Amino acid sequence: MRVTRVTNRLEPQAAGQRCRLRVLGAGPPREVAIPAVGVVVGADPAVDVPLDDPAVSRRHCTIRPVADGFEVTDLGSRNGTHLDGVSLTRATVPPGATLRLGATLVQLLPEETAPEVPESAATSFGALTGSSPAMRRVFGLLERASTSDAPVLLLGESGTGKELAARAVHQRSRRRDGPFVVFDCGASSETLVESDLFGHRKGAFTGAVADRPGAFAQADGGTLFLDELGDLPLGLQPKLLRLLEAGEVTPLGAAHSERHDVRVVAATHRDLWAEVGRGTFRGDLYYRVAVIEVHLPPLRRRTSDLPELVRRFLEQFGAPAAELDPTALARLAAYAWPGNVRELRNVIARAVALSPPGTPLGRMPLLLRGDAGDEPARPAVQATRPFHEMKDELVRRFEREYLEDLLRRTDGNLAEAARRAGLERKFLYRLLERSGVPRSRGG
């Protein structure tokens, strides 16, 4: 059984490896290669894959790779060979499936090949920007993904642009005129996620007063973006697998399945391969959704893209972008960027908002995490009031705290404070008056 996946991961976890199985039991996880003739699994030390499990028979089952998965044959074991709670006698199971033998889990992993994808000549893809080799590999892979209907898995830290990549793939695909539906897999309880994702029928649960289409139905003819796929409850993963395999889904409370023409693009900040190893994410679902697997690099690993990104954000917010101060760029390049490109955008937006019109980058206040000491982070912003009220309050709070800390660091010397903040002294005076921060002394 061979699976071809396209990925920009520099060291695919299984590239060039033979079919194998992973044993998750009482001891540490281990992998065993499966030859073409297959293996015998059991408690007998003489079999091909011995298991230290009193609930496993001496010769429990055989596993053999075939064209479309693995042929599993139970050898009359006393406790059975199970897949998804169903006892198997003889069956062909898909790659990535997990068998239960007694108290032991056995994951079936196919041989994999990862064809090389050349770097793109482009320096952007949709709203994504970057000329570094890492990003041009990403663009090359996304360009290929746009020409097919194959499922795509986008992996990367928060703020790296996974949703932007998904939207760009949709906009360049043959489905561009269809809907692009975003669904957050970790947004609610399992029952509500199932209802929102697959739909429900009237009376399916308390409060279901009418039929309601799910995200799959809404995305028919287009693309469904499953954000944070790693948070999808384990109990719902078989339904998603069925949709990917057969294009069918059964709404909550429905007697029959529905067919939908949907292209799935998924994203997560989790290491899904590690989740498969822990048994918290189905291996067969992983192989179905990761046909094209794209790893979006964190900003700290592509700092050569910083000037291009900074220039783009300055232009977006109406600030001068022709010349970028080398000292300011060096400071940005030395920062770790835990929030990645999203955080960079926010830093530039804040700097522009706090500067007089026409201020160049080198004289803007670039406030990075850690600049104001090691105070604990404030709670996340909550949408309890209108947007503009909350924004104004946050800006006022930021200005006040920034100015108070600035004066502490300069011992109240306003000339030095203006120099450090990159502000004209008259503008600093206006900020102090507006924020109600007293001037300590002139300078």
Side-chain angles (χ1 to χ4, degrees):
M1 173 62 186
R2 174 176 292 188
V3 169
T4 298
R5 288 195 304 124
V6 185
T7 177
N8 64 325
R9 184 168 180 166
L10 295 181
E11 298 178 358
Q13 66 269 9
Q17 291 188 335
R18 298 166 59 186
C19 293
R20 62 216 188 279
L21 56 80
R22 178 188 286 135
V23 178
L24 304 171
R30 60 190 172 101
E31 290 192 5
V32 180
I34 307 176
V37 295
V39 293
V40 177
V41 183
D44 190 332
V47 302
D48 301 309
V49 186
L51 302 180
D52 184 14
D53 185 338
V56 170
S57 298
R58 291 179 63 80
R59 292 173 60 84
H60 198 102
C61 69
T62 62
I63 301 172
R64 182 173 68 91
V66 293
D68 52 353
F70 295 85
E71 183 183 81
V72 179
T73 304
D74 186 81
L75 300 177
S77 64
R78 64 180 181 273
N79 290 319
T81 301
H82 300 271
L83 175 67
D84 292 338
V86 177
S87 181
L88 305 179
T89 300
R90 183 172 183 169
T92 298
V93 302
T98 299
L99 304 174
R100 180 176 291 278
L101 284 61
T104 303
L105 298 179
V106 177
Q107 294 176 340
L108 308 181
L109 310 178
E111 179 181 2
E112 284 194 71
T113 58
E116 192 138 348
V117 177
E119 294 179 2
S120 172
T123 57
S124 65
F125 186 85
L128 298 174
T129 299
S131 55
S132 62
M135 285 307 290
R136 286 191 288 115
R137 280 193 294 271
V138 168
F139 298 156
L141 202 47
L142 293 175
E143 288 166 358
R144 177 176 293 193
S146 300
T147 63
S148 79
D149 271 349
V152 179
L153 178 61
L154 302 166
L155 300 172
E157 298 174 6
S158 295
T160 51
K162 297 186 290 294
E163 184 172 344
L164 296 178
R167 287 185 182 276
V169 167
H170 171 73
Q171 289 163 0
R172 292 202 184 188
S173 74
R174 68 174 183 85
R175 296 173 175 269
R176 65 178 67 87
D177 295 327
F180 180 82
V181 177
V182 179
F183 183 83
D184 187 343
C185 295
S188 192
S189 66
E190 181 169 338
T191 300
L192 290 178
V193 167
E194 182 174 13
S195 170
D196 292 342
L197 188 55
F198 304 115
H200 65 251
R201 292 288 178 262
K202 179 180 178 180
F205 53 86
T206 302
V209 296
D211 290 355
R212 180 182 176 188
F216 276 112
Q218 296 171 33
D220 191 72
T223 301
L224 176 62
F225 176 53
L226 297 176
D227 199 12
E228 295 306 340
L229 178 66
D231 294 337
L232 186 68
L234 194 60
L236 298 183
Q237 293 178 21
K239 287 189 113 176
L240 177 56
L241 180 63
R242 178 169 176 76
L243 185 283
L244 291 171
E245 290 179 335
E248 294 182 352
V249 65
T250 304
L252 201 60
H256 304 287
S257 61
E258 299 176 350
R259 293 189 64 84
H260 296 294
D261 174 25
V262 177
R263 199 261 180 96
V264 171
V265 178
T268 183
H269 71 281
R270 298 180 184 273
D271 183 345
L272 275 196
W273 184 246
E275 299 289 334
V276 170
R278 286 190 284 269
T280 56
F281 195 85
R282 292 178 62 108
D284 47 2
L285 178 55
Y286 171 80
Y287 280 106
R288 277 291 178 182
V289 80
V291 175
I292 301 176
E293 184 179 277
V294 185
H295 295 254
L296 291 163
L299 183 54
R300 63 183 175 276
R301 293 184 184 169
R302 57 179 190 109
T303 53
S304 62
D305 290 333
L306 271 171
E308 193 172 355
L309 290 166
V310 169
R311 185 173 286 109
R312 176 183 169 189
F313 293 141
L314 287 172
E315 291 173 348
Q316 182 179 339
F317 299 121
E323 295 184 10
L324 302 181
D325 181 69
T327 302
L329 286 177
R331 182 172 172 230
L332 294 176
Y335 183 58
W337 297 109
N340 293 292
V341 179
R342 182 187 296 131
E343 183 181 3
L344 173 64
R345 182 183 184 278
N346 291 341
V347 165
I348 300 300
R350 184 166 55 230
V352 172
L354 294 175
S355 303
T359 301
L361 177 68
R363 299 176 64 185
M364 288 183 181
L366 298 172
L367 186 64
L368 306 176
R369 292 191 208 180
D371 282 0
D374 297 320
E375 299 177 47
R378 293 184 177 273
V381 174
Q382 295 181 338
T384 54
R385 284 190 288 158
F387 171 83
H388 291 293
E389 288 184 18
M390 288 298 298
K391 178 184 176 183
D392 291 343
E393 179 182 321
L394 288 171
V395 170
R396 286 195 300 270
R397 190 170 71 194
F398 161 76
E399 290 179 355
R400 184 174 60 254
E401 293 178 0
Y402 179 88
L403 293 171
E404 287 173 349
D405 186 71
L406 180 66
L407 293 179
R408 280 196 298 270
R409 291 170 183 263
T410 59
D411 194 27
N413 187 318
L414 297 182
E416 176 64 10
R419 188 189 66 79
R420 288 197 187 187
L423 299 174
E424 295 285 350
R425 287 186 65 178
K426 290 182 179 179
F427 186 72
L428 175 62
Y429 295 160
R430 287 201 299 271
L431 282 178
L432 290 168
E433 291 173 0
R434 185 170 70 195
S435 303
V437 177
R439 305 181 194 179
S440 298
R441 63 181 175 90

